[in-house]
Amino acid sequence: MKKENRKGLLMAYKERKITGGIYAIRNTTNGKMLLLSTSDLQGCKNRFQFSQKTGACVNMQLQKDWKELGGNVFAFEILEEIEKKDIQTLKEFREDIKVLEELWIEKLKSQELY
């Protein structure tokens, strides 16, 4: 890879918009879901899709159902996303996501979660 091209790619990576938030992995056969939070939604979605393709379970809490039913019965759902502000540190951004997760846990407490 040429040095200029590498520098350009690195700069684009550093300048990309960082999007985090709350997501769920839903079992479409029984409706149960695993509620999770992240500071990198796209990365989590990519890992989930890779896990489905390879048959490897994406999370230990889902292991039993994943093994029994297969990865194709699970769906990745973004429940809420937020974008990191330029003035925010990564720590502050993660704290905001944690608060958001607590709100979603409260909101979904009546549903069956993993």
Side-chain angles (χ1 to χ4, degrees):
M1 182 182 299
K2 292 185 180 179
K3 193 172 187 175
E4 302 84 35
N5 189 26
R6 182 182 166 163
K7 282 184 181 181
L9 290 172
L10 185 59
M11 199 149 179
Y13 175 77
K14 287 182 179 181
E15 292 175 358
R16 80 194 189 292
K17 300 228 183 250
I18 298 174
T19 305
I22 309 304
Y23 68 100
I25 299 176
R26 183 180 305 272
N27 181 326
T28 59
T29 59
N30 65 16
K32 283 177 73 173
M33 67 182 192
L34 178 63
L35 185 68
L36 299 162
S37 64
T38 184
S39 58
D40 181 11
L41 278 172
Q42 188 58 50
C44 287
K45 186 175 183 177
N46 291 345
R47 279 188 291 282
F48 174 77
Q49 290 170 339
F50 180 78
S51 292
Q52 278 188 312
K53 288 178 186 173
T54 61
C57 184
V58 70
N59 188 292
M60 295 306 290
Q61 292 171 282
L62 305 173
Q63 184 85 32
K64 182 177 177 272
D65 286 350
W66 189 284
K67 191 174 184 179
E68 209 172 277
L69 305 168
N72 291 333
V73 302
F74 291 89
F76 185 94
E77 300 174 10
I78 296 174
L79 301 176
E80 190 168 345
E81 61 184 278
I82 57 173
E83 197 172 285
K84 181 181 172 293
K85 297 172 186 77
D86 292 335
I87 58 170
Q88 241 179 346
T89 65
L90 193 54
K91 183 181 178 188
E92 292 169 332
F93 182 55
R94 287 183 177 148
E95 288 170 358
D96 286 352
I97 292 170
K98 197 67 183 163
V99 169
L100 198 58
E101 180 181 27
E102 290 168 9
L103 292 171
W104 273 96
I105 288 170
E106 183 66 26
K107 185 177 182 178
L108 298 174
K109 68 180 177 185
S110 64
Q111 293 192 21
E112 193 173 358
L113 303 174
Y114 280 98

